[in-house]
Amino acid sequence: MKLYYNPQSRAAIAKWMLDECGAKYEIVPIDFAKREHKTPEFLKINPAGKLPALVDGESKVFEGAAICLYLGDKFPEANLAPKIGAPERGRYLSLMVYSTSQLEPAMGDTLLKVQPLPQRGWSEFETVKDVIEGELGDGPYLFGDWFTAADIMIGSMFMWKRMWGTPPDRPKIEAYVERLLARPAAMKIGK
Ligand SMILES: N[C@@H](CCC(=O)N[C@@H](CS)C(=O)NCC(=O)O)C(=O)O
């Protein structure tokens, strides 16, 4: 497997997932300044010209959530994804999609000081944080004691939020981030 990677990008999330899976993989460094993510060769892997992208034999996977879903199913022994037919599967898929369709754009609006518009399909960041707190319940993870790829997708967003230097405003979510950072394979941005 090859992960197309830049340490200053969302590819760090896919790398975290690969490491939690115990996968063997090769890093293909992508230099944004040289626009290596816009070459005809790379666009055959990810037509959107963005990181992360994963190649596994004949399979080409792009979009961070899709990569984590793919790996969760490919490495059942890592137990990072409820299996098809398991009662947790529906909620797991919902949280995986929620991470990039609601949480990430809502957080982006707030960090970039963009006016939220409900017509765009995602809630305001405060509402999203309420949802995540509710889904976390008593934790420690989104599925209780069971750490899954949903924690990687959702938790990584709050790790990015910290990097922006925004003041901690939700103790429950901050404590969750601390638990995730304590994992040996936790996402390392910029490395
Ligand atoms: N929704 C996409 C976002 C991918 C994305 O925006 N990646 C950024 C790096 S974090 C990128 O490659 N930007 C370079 C560009 O768009 O030119 C995903 O989750 O994979």
Side-chain angles (χ1 to χ4, degrees):
M1 266 187 297
K2 288 183 181 175
L3 176 68
Y4 291 77
Y5 182 78
N6 181 296
Q8 306 284 352
S9 79
R10 290 168 177 84
I13 304 170
K15 184 174 185 301
W16 181 12
M17 180 70 186
L18 281 160
D19 291 338
E20 292 280 1
C21 287
K24 289 193 172 61
Y25 62 94
E26 179 191 334
I27 291 274
V28 182
I30 292 290
D31 187 333
F32 285 138
K34 291 184 184 158
R35 299 190 61 76
E36 289 175 349
H37 55 311
K38 305 294 180 189
T39 62
E41 296 73 33
F42 184 76
L43 293 176
K44 282 185 198 145
I45 298 166
N46 182 356
K50 286 178 179 287
L51 296 181
L54 182 83
V55 173
D56 179 21
E58 297 296 306
S59 297
K60 295 169 183 158
V61 196
F62 60 93
E63 284 295 317
I67 291 172
C68 289
L69 284 164
Y70 179 88
L71 293 170
D73 291 345
K74 185 180 168 84
F75 292 94
E77 65 278 14
N79 199 28
L80 295 169
K83 315 258 179 312
I84 292 174
E88 297 91 350
R89 180 83 178 177
R91 182 168 166 261
Y92 166 74
L93 294 175
S94 303
L95 290 169
M96 294 295 280
V97 173
Y98 189 84
S99 68
T100 52
S101 65
Q102 296 257 351
L103 167 55
E104 183 180 330
M107 189 174 93
D109 281 352
T110 298
L111 297 182
L112 300 171
K113 300 187 181 6
V114 174
Q115 187 66 29
L117 286 173
Q119 297 89 328
R120 290 196 292 185
W122 53 87
S123 316
E124 288 188 28
F125 193 31
E126 290 309 309
T127 308
V128 170
K129 284 187 274 190
D130 291 342
V131 169
I132 300 301
E133 284 186 341
E135 290 300 310
L136 259 176
D138 293 331
Y141 300 119
L142 288 160
F143 286 85
D145 289 330
W146 185 9
F147 174 82
T148 68
D151 294 298
I152 292 179
M153 287 305 301
I154 301 255
S156 58
M157 291 298 121
F158 290 101
M159 292 178 185
W160 284 108
K161 178 178 173 290
R162 265 194 192 191
M163 276 194 48
W164 276 72
T166 54
D169 56 345
R170 299 279 183 133
K172 190 169 175 174
I173 293 177
E174 295 303 325
Y176 173 54
V177 169
E178 287 300 327
R179 285 194 290 280
L180 295 174
L181 286 170
R183 296 183 67 82
M187 178 171 75
K188 288 150 194 88
I189 303 162
K191 292 187 184 160

